[in-house]
Amino acid sequence: MNPKLAKLPPRGVAGNILASDTGAATHIASAPFGHALVRAAENNPRIVGLTADLGKYTDIHLFAEKFPERFFQMGMAEQSLIGCAAGMARAGLIPFATTYCVFATRRAYDFIAIGVALGRANVKIIAGLPGLTTGYGGTHQGIEDLALMCSVPNLTVIDPCDATEIEQAIQAIADYDGPVYMRLLRGQVPVVLDPEHYQFEIGKAKMLTEGGDVAIISTGLMTGRALDAAKALDAEGIRASVLHLSTLKPFDRETVEALIGRVPAVVTAENHMQHGGLASAVADLAVDSGLKIRLRRVGIPDCFCDSGSLPYLVDRYSMGATHIAQAAREALH
Amino acid sequence: MNAQSEAISSATQEIRLKETARALRRHVLEMAEIVGQGYVGQGLGISDLLAVLYFREMRYDPKNPSWQDRDRFILSTGHYAIGLYAALAEAGIIPLHEIGTYGTDGSRLEMAAPETTPGVEITGGSLGHGLPQSVGMAIGLRYQGRPSRIFNLLSDGECQEGATWEAAMAGAHYKLGNLYAFIDCNNQQADGPPAAIMNIEPLDKKWEAFGWHTQRIDGNDVAAILGALAAARKVEDRPHAIVLDTLMGKGVATFEQREKNHFIRVGAEEWSVARQQLEERAL
């Protein structure tokens, strides 16, 4: 062994690209998307599945095993993946196409915009590795996909929180007639929301906790951290509302406006760049509505992120519950 | 229509299709004259194929353009819309008088065909979309047990788009015998001839190497197009590539002879000459 390396302090490692970020979750579910798609497909023969060489990495392999005649492997060819899905939709099917966020949105943007969205083709794009859910570095971290997808007319854009919401959302988007881009959490996925009490609806933000001091508006997996932050703040006597906004587009202006009109200290938390996604939508709304708010953004700054272990990356880019709580304190002062 | 056609001799059928192609060219000239410029060269060049497809080969219902079992014509090269509108009008899918609105503000007949217009299956024009969507349709229709076939028109320049070859792989992988790709080689793209811009030949060998049943013919020869389709129908387990060598401006001597341009500008005084030359051309 190289003696110089041996002297270094212990470090985290980037780990396998498949590693899931379950953090300190006490409840987890396995492959919620794959199981939910199988259930939806059992009742609807129009549902078909496609992937671009990422079947087992996006949990759609469960669908492929159950319905091999309804599954179409497209190889490493994302333009073809999205274009074919658009053609299938025009032939009357409901295609679910999976790849990673970075490949769907960077490589196949024109195919999503023109092939899918312009004519409202009934395609569901399910995209893995959103934001910092892989330590693989800038090539695989989808940090600007929401900005790109929210810019496309006609497209519905969803960033689900957990296994509960993924299961509910898959049925909802299968029933919805129109194009959808949805971020995917795959593998072992935390259960944050109680399926007995939470009900996903396209385009509806959901208030998870109510408090009058600070408004935390979060999307995607950041909602789990926002709830942890709210607990920590509560112990300090700061009452936080947590509004979970999983549909970025269409944006639930009414609910957000009501909240930030009532609680002007606002924190946004998103597993995405701080610009072009949730924070920008909230800022736009505040300006349009003439609401004076004090906004703190938790999200990735204007940079490509490093490779590394997920806890290291969450800390390095200030994306954890403690960072949300700190942003809330700053918004209050 | 097909049963009737089969009852008459092939020679008579060819003459009728050539007459139909001339009718399409008349419509193309009428539309081009309205805007005074445009993709008249492409429209004239592809009229023979469109005459054969819409008046011999394809199954569709003009009164119900969204009939689910129809054969589908997928225009990848959106700027060839002028040719497609001529065929749609002649076939009765859009009213004949509507071609008088081509390219004007508020018209359904935009210079690049939008999918909201009856008979237009996809919004083409951003090149490289047609074949991926055609592959998806061919898979989807076959999965549903429908007899429909897909006829995709793409261009020589469009073969520079990588997505075309991604989809070519998929078409062969899924053995899509219900898929036909026509590659219009008019030897002209926006900046000049493909050989000078980015060489894509030999196209027939490339499609063959990608696993497609491939033929290369004179795309302005109605008999050759009929023969290629007849040969293609016999091959059921591979998609079909028919590479068409065509002449831009075909049928109008002055447009055939002028220095080739992707986007032709035509003087106001030239249209009556063009119409006359079209009528004088022997079938």
Side-chain angles (χ1 to χ4, degrees):
Chain A
M1 181 190 282
N2 184 330
K4 284 181 186 169
L5 283 180
K7 287 180 190 168
L8 289 171
R11 295 183 176 196
V13 293
N16 191 303
I17 198 167
L18 269 170
S20 302
D21 177 25
T22 50
T26 52
H27 294 82
I28 54 171
S30 180
F33 161 62
H35 290 297
L37 186 61
V38 166
R39 277 197 296 278
E42 279 168 347
N43 301 317
N44 191 342
R46 294 167 61 213
I47 291 177
V48 294
L50 307 82
T51 193
D53 194 33
L54 288 171
K56 65 186 176 188
Y57 289 72
T58 58
D59 291 345
I60 202 170
H61 65 292
L62 297 172
F63 176 89
E65 288 160 11
K66 178 80 176 180
F67 301 109
E69 76 290 354
R70 293 161 69 173
F71 176 72
F72 301 94
Q73 173 62 261
M74 302 312 296
M76 269 190 273
E78 290 77 15
Q79 299 179 108
S80 181
L81 170 79
I82 301 298
C84 285
M88 289 176 175
R90 291 196 161 85
L93 301 178
I94 306 173
F96 279 72
T98 75
T99 178
Y100 290 157
C101 300
V102 287
F103 303 140
T105 65
R106 292 176 186 161
R107 299 191 87 112
Y109 184 87
D110 189 43
F111 293 76
I112 295 174
I114 302 303
V116 173
L118 188 149
R120 298 179 191 270
N122 194 16
V123 173
K124 321 300 176 184
I125 300 162
I126 309 295
L129 301 189
L132 295 181
T133 52
T134 174
Y136 216 67
T139 56
H140 284 62
Q141 293 158 344
I143 60 171
E144 85 288 26
D145 61 321
L146 296 179
L148 290 166
M149 294 297 97
C150 286
S151 302
V152 179
N154 298 342
L155 195 59
T156 291
V157 181
I158 299 169
D159 189 6
C161 165
D162 72 341
T164 299
E165 188 161 46
I166 287 169
E167 288 173 13
Q168 295 178 356
I170 290 303
Q171 187 62 56
I173 67 173
D175 294 341
Y176 165 72
D177 183 15
V180 175
Y181 175 83
M182 181 171 138
R183 282 178 147 193
L184 168 70
L185 304 172
R186 54 83 49 209
Q188 301 300 308
V189 178
V191 179
V192 174
L193 303 169
D194 179 355
E196 299 292 317
H197 296 103
Y198 182 81
Q199 184 55 54
F200 170 83
E201 291 176 84
I202 295 172
K204 296 286 185 204
K206 301 282 175 169
M207 194 72 81
L208 300 182
T209 66
E210 298 236 27
D213 296 328
V214 62
I216 304 174
I217 306 172
S218 58
T219 188
L221 62 78
M222 294 300 276
T223 292
R225 297 173 193 170
L227 290 169
D228 290 343
K231 274 186 209 156
L233 291 167
D234 192 63
E236 300 169 24
I238 299 170
R239 311 294 173 224
S241 287
V242 174
L243 180 68
H244 173 55
L245 188 140
S246 48
T247 308
L248 278 297
K249 189 177 182 179
F251 189 71
D252 187 353
R253 295 174 65 93
E254 195 177 324
T255 304
V256 174
E257 188 172 349
L259 175 63
I260 66 177
R262 197 167 68 237
V263 185
V266 179
V267 174
T268 54
E270 59 200 302
N271 179 28
H272 182 266
M273 295 181 75
Q274 293 170 11
H275 295 89
L278 174 64
S280 292
V282 171
D284 277 0
L285 174 60
V287 172
D288 293 350
S289 306
L291 293 171
K292 194 170 179 191
I293 66 171
R294 190 172 165 86
L295 175 65
R296 288 293 174 271
R297 304 168 188 239
V298 175
I300 297 162
D302 185 16
C303 68
F304 288 100
C305 296
D306 289 347
S307 171
S309 68
L310 293 178
Y312 166 80
L313 293 174
V314 166
D315 196 49
R316 174 155 172 67
Y317 298 100
S318 303
M319 298 279 285
T322 56
H323 305 100
I324 296 172
Q326 182 56 30
R329 291 181 203 106
E330 289 170 15
L332 279 167
H333 297 294
Chain B
M1 184 179 71
N2 287 359
Q4 277 182 359
S5 302
E6 281 156 15
I8 59 176
S9 74
S10 62
T12 307
Q13 178 178 276
E14 272 176 44
I15 289 171
R16 286 190 180 176
L17 288 170
K18 286 176 180 175
E19 285 169 349
T20 301
R22 171 135 63 193
L24 300 189
R25 289 187 165 98
R26 277 188 207 109
H27 300 328
V28 167
L29 289 181
E30 184 184 338
M31 283 183 268
E33 188 171 359
I34 292 164
V35 291
Q37 56 186 20
Y39 300 106
V40 60
Q42 289 89 340
L44 294 170
I46 208 63
S47 288
D48 299 299
L49 174 71
L50 291 170
V52 172
L53 288 182
Y54 276 88
F55 301 93
R56 173 67 183 84
E57 187 69 18
M58 284 171 42
R59 286 160 25 100
Y60 58 91
D61 178 359
K63 293 188 182 65
N64 181 14
S66 52
W67 174 44
Q68 288 196 322
D69 283 342
R70 71 190 180 281
D71 290 336
R72 287 152 171 86
F73 177 74
I74 309 301
L75 182 65
S76 194
T77 50
H79 58 292
Y80 282 50
I82 190 169
L84 176 57
Y85 298 149
L88 295 177
E90 187 69 18
I93 295 172
I94 58 174
L96 197 53
H97 63 79
E98 195 172 349
I99 66 173
T101 70
Y102 170 72
T104 58
D105 291 342
S107 171
R108 298 193 297 181
L109 309 188
E110 298 175 16
M111 287 185 75
E115 63 197 85
T116 43
T117 299
V120 180
E121 301 280 355
I122 72 162
T123 300
S126 173
L127 298 181
H129 283 251
L131 195 61
Q133 292 213 38
S134 296
V135 168
M137 286 184 203
I139 292 174
L141 292 164
R142 187 176 69 180
Y143 163 74
Q144 295 172 87
R146 297 191 186 282
S148 311
R149 294 171 300 165
I150 307 295
F151 298 94
N152 177 211
L153 175 63
L154 51 158
S155 68
D156 45 2
E158 191 171 8
C159 290
Q160 293 161 355
E161 290 284 0
T164 296
W165 299 106
E166 289 187 6
M169 278 189 292
H173 183 83
Y174 285 105
K175 300 181 167 55
L176 298 175
N178 56 349
L179 174 60
Y180 295 69
F182 298 94
I183 301 94
D184 179 31
C185 295
N186 60 20
N187 203 31
Q188 197 62 220
Q189 59 185 113
D191 271 350
I197 305 304
M198 182 53 65
N199 186 38
I200 34 103
E201 294 289 353
L203 273 175
D204 46 349
K205 288 182 179 159
K206 285 190 170 77
W207 286 93
E208 185 70 39
F210 270 71
W212 288 55
H213 170 244
T214 304
Q215 304 171 76
R216 187 161 195 159
I217 60 170
D218 176 350
N220 292 125
D221 180 342
V222 164
I225 298 168
L226 289 167
L229 284 166
R233 280 195 296 270
K234 292 178 185 158
V235 178
E236 295 180 352
D237 61 349
R238 297 164 79 190
H240 313 281
I242 301 178
V243 181
L244 306 170
D245 288 303
T246 64
L247 185 59
M248 284 185 80
K250 179 71 181 184
V252 176
T254 180
F255 294 161
E256 288 176 3
Q257 289 154 12
R258 79 169 46 189
E259 188 183 352
K260 288 294 176 286
N261 280 310
H262 177 72
F263 191 87
I264 294 178
R265 293 186 190 283
V266 182
E269 71 290 351
E270 291 184 79
W271 293 106
S272 61
V273 176
R275 281 196 299 273
Q276 189 180 342
Q277 289 177 340
L278 176 61
E279 300 307 328
E280 287 169 354
R281 177 65 58 89
L283 280 178

